[in-house]
Amino acid sequence: MTQAPHQQKETAVSAVLYAEVQQFYGRHMRAMDECRVADWTGDFMPEAVFATNARPEPQRGRVEITDNAEAAARQLQEKGTLRRHCVTTLEVQQGTGSTLLARTYALITRTVVGGRSELEFVCTCEDVLVRHEGRLFIQHRQVYRDDLPKD
Amino acid sequence: MTQAPHQQKETAVSAVLYAEVQQFYGRHMRAMDECRVADWTGDFMPEAVFATNARPEPQRGRVEITDNAEAAARQLQEKGTLRRHCVTTLEVQQGTGSTLLARTYALITRTVVGGRSELEFVCTCEDVLVRHEGRLFIQHRQVYRDDLPKD
Amino acid sequence: MTQAPHQQKETAVSAVLYAEVQQFYGRHMRAMDECRVADWTGDFMPEAVFATNARPEPQRGRVEITDNAEAAARQLQEKGTLRRHCVTTLEVQQGTGSTLLARTYALITRTVVGGRSELEFVCTCEDVLVRHEGRLFIQHRQVYRDDLPKD
């Protein structure tokens, strides 16, 4: 608790870019929650890495990410579970090179029709985003579920 | 799960419009949660339709929407319940004609003073917004509570 | 419930300012949640006032705010608790003079590793923000926890 206060200004990233990242997550999370797996995994670069403390090893490449996403979507649909990734508290910074660093908090809810909606997990997400063919893609994703050990 | 990845770009809606829609919901939800019914229903066009899977029939017109909103506000106040509509994960698209299509996830919390805050519902909301006299209004609202059957 | 509908337009605050305030909260809340106390309290003006219905008296000045923040951070770290302030539903208005009035809803979650994440509190926050040396600072903060009496 002895660090100096940051000097960072909020103007480092333009309002245009900030809104674009918000739109990106709005579309991206809806695709996942509606089990449109190809839409969701289409937001990752082909060589993207997706690391999470819910798995022992990072997922490497869109093919592996897609396989896991399809399995997860199947599970949700078999159980009749609705899951929502509610994205909040976005912070966007310039990353290295031409990348963007986007940090979010996600409240993940779980509902079975006829039951009550529950807070299933709270996650922090740190994405490295790159622009390719005029739009944003995820190059690297690091997710931490608060309820699981970080390492 | 065999659909092609979407080609949509995030630049379809300007940052100015995206921020305007965010401000709209900030004000709109606060009006509802603070039981300022006229402020809240004043955001609907006179002929607006409000459909939700929590009611068998859509509410048609601002007068009907207002009657129901006043009844709901009275109930909250009689029970001493605070309700918050926490809006997240906004996605805005151009709709047909000059309309906007705004999709949100809402986490609705319920608190009685002295008790614990609870997640009451999770809703998805899809609004058709129109510009009229220089500001946005709701022309059509479709809300789905995740815990109730969709049809 | 007899008030006239508001005439306010969403264009009162620019998209640039709205995005800047969102970035501010993204950084500010993360600093608090990661127990980087100096980063967090560095967002208050030296003479800032922080009032909350969780304390009998407002905290006056950055020094007092820092003392309390350090105590809170220590408690969290001793108990191994992760807390997240998930900011939603931002509304920004011009305040008096050159200030901004920023209203948010915060969902505060609490997690102990190995347990389940819980909704700990729901708060409304009203900040008076001022621009100083090219960035935003908090001049006055009023927080209300929904589960505690307002006065």
Side-chain angles (χ1 to χ4, degrees):
Chain A
M1 299 181 197
T2 56
Q3 80 281 25
H6 50 75
Q7 294 303 321
Q8 200 187 346
K9 293 184 184 180
E10 267 63 59
T11 46
V13 167
S14 76
V16 170
L17 210 48
Y18 192 86
E20 184 180 358
V21 174
Q22 288 181 299
Q23 288 273 63
F24 176 84
Y25 283 112
R27 188 171 51 65
H28 179 68
M29 295 302 176
R30 233 159 234 106
M32 176 162 48
D33 294 342
E34 296 170 2
C35 295
R36 291 181 282 111
V37 172
D39 282 351
W40 184 70
T41 57
D43 289 334
F44 289 87
M45 290 293 279
E47 73 286 5
V49 174
F50 181 172
T52 155
N53 65 340
R55 292 180 182 272
E57 293 295 329
Q59 303 166 66
R60 296 185 184 281
R62 197 194 277 163
V63 173
E64 186 182 345
I65 294 168
T66 301
D67 286 348
N68 288 325
E70 284 179 347
R74 227 171 4 245
Q75 272 206 334
L76 288 176
Q77 291 174 322
E78 283 169 10
K79 295 185 187 170
T81 303
L82 293 170
R83 189 180 272 169
R84 305 284 170 207
H85 287 74
C86 300
V87 176
T88 75
T89 324
L90 173 65
E91 186 185 7
V92 185
Q93 294 182 317
Q94 294 291 347
T96 54
S98 62
T99 66
L100 291 175
L101 197 59
R103 294 187 178 92
T104 48
Y105 288 169
L107 295 159
I108 291 98
T109 64
R110 185 186 170 281
T111 314
V112 178
V113 170
R116 283 195 63 160
S117 292
E118 295 179 346
L119 181 60
E120 188 176 17
F121 312 123
V122 177
C123 292
T124 56
C125 178
E126 189 166 314
D127 281 341
V128 178
L129 302 176
V130 289
R131 188 172 304 279
H132 178 66
E133 296 178 353
R135 49 154 294 194
L136 296 173
F137 288 87
I138 301 158
Q139 187 178 76
H140 189 278
R141 168 163 289 176
Q142 174 69 60
V143 168
Y144 290 110
R145 265 175 53 183
D146 273 357
D147 60 323
L148 298 178
K150 200 150 182 184
D151 300 303
Chain B
M1 300 181 196
T2 57
Q3 79 280 28
H6 50 76
Q7 295 302 322
Q8 199 186 347
K9 293 183 186 179
E10 267 63 58
T11 45
V13 166
S14 75
V16 170
L17 210 49
Y18 192 85
E20 185 180 359
V21 175
Q22 288 180 298
Q23 288 273 62
F24 175 84
Y25 283 112
R27 188 171 50 65
H28 179 68
M29 295 303 176
R30 233 159 234 105
M32 176 162 48
D33 294 341
E34 295 170 3
C35 296
R36 291 181 282 110
V37 172
D39 282 350
W40 184 70
T41 58
D43 288 334
F44 290 87
M45 290 293 280
E47 73 285 5
V49 173
F50 180 172
T52 155
N53 66 340
R55 291 180 182 272
E57 294 295 329
Q59 303 166 66
R60 295 184 184 283
R62 197 194 278 164
V63 173
E64 187 181 344
I65 294 168
T66 302
D67 286 348
N68 288 324
E70 284 179 348
R74 223 167 11 242
Q75 271 206 334
L76 287 177
Q77 291 173 321
E78 282 169 11
K79 295 185 188 171
T81 304
L82 292 171
R83 190 180 271 169
R84 303 285 170 206
H85 288 74
C86 300
V87 178
T88 75
T89 325
L90 174 65
E91 185 186 7
V92 184
Q93 294 182 314
Q94 293 291 347
T96 55
S98 61
T99 66
L100 291 175
L101 197 59
R103 295 187 179 91
T104 49
Y105 288 169
L107 295 159
I108 291 99
T109 64
R110 184 185 170 282
T111 313
V112 179
V113 170
R116 283 195 62 159
S117 291
E118 296 179 344
L119 180 60
E120 187 176 18
F121 311 124
V122 177
C123 292
T124 57
C125 178
E126 188 167 314
D127 281 340
V128 177
L129 302 176
V130 290
R131 188 173 303 280
H132 178 66
E133 296 178 352
R135 50 154 292 194
L136 296 174
F137 287 87
I138 302 158
Q139 187 179 74
H140 188 280
R141 168 164 288 177
Q142 174 68 61
V143 168
Y144 291 110
R145 264 175 53 183
D146 274 358
D147 60 324
L148 298 177
K150 199 150 182 184
D151 301 303
Chain C
M1 299 181 198
T2 57
Q3 81 280 27
H6 49 78
Q7 295 302 321
Q8 200 187 345
K9 293 183 186 180
E10 266 65 57
T11 45
V13 166
S14 76
V16 171
L17 210 48
Y18 192 85
E20 184 180 358
V21 175
Q22 288 180 299
Q23 289 273 62
F24 175 84
Y25 283 112
R27 187 171 51 66
H28 179 68
M29 294 303 176
R30 232 160 234 105
M32 176 162 48
D33 295 342
E34 296 169 3
C35 295
R36 291 181 281 111
V37 172
D39 282 350
W40 184 70
T41 58
D43 289 334
F44 289 87
M45 290 292 281
E47 73 286 6
V49 174
F50 181 172
T52 156
N53 66 340
R55 291 180 182 272
E57 294 296 329
Q59 302 165 67
R60 296 184 184 282
R62 196 195 277 165
V63 173
E64 187 182 343
I65 294 169
T66 302
D67 286 348
N68 288 324
E70 285 179 347
R74 223 166 13 238
Q75 271 207 333
L76 287 177
Q77 292 173 323
E78 283 169 9
K79 295 186 187 170
T81 303
L82 292 171
R83 189 179 270 169
R84 304 284 170 206
H85 287 74
C86 300
V87 176
T88 76
T89 324
L90 174 66
E91 186 185 7
V92 184
Q93 294 182 316
Q94 293 291 347
T96 54
S98 60
T99 66
L100 290 176
L101 197 57
R103 295 186 179 92
T104 47
Y105 288 170
L107 295 159
I108 291 98
T109 64
R110 184 186 171 283
T111 313
V112 178
V113 171
R116 283 196 63 161
S117 291
E118 296 180 343
L119 180 60
E120 188 175 19
F121 311 123
V122 177
C123 291
T124 57
C125 178
E126 189 167 314
D127 281 341
V128 178
L129 302 176
V130 290
R131 188 173 303 279
H132 178 66
E133 297 177 352
R135 49 155 293 193
L136 296 174
F137 288 86
I138 301 158
Q139 187 178 75
H140 189 278
R141 168 163 289 177
Q142 175 68 61
V143 167
Y144 291 110
R145 264 175 52 184
D146 273 359
D147 60 323
L148 298 178
K150 198 150 184 184
D151 302 302

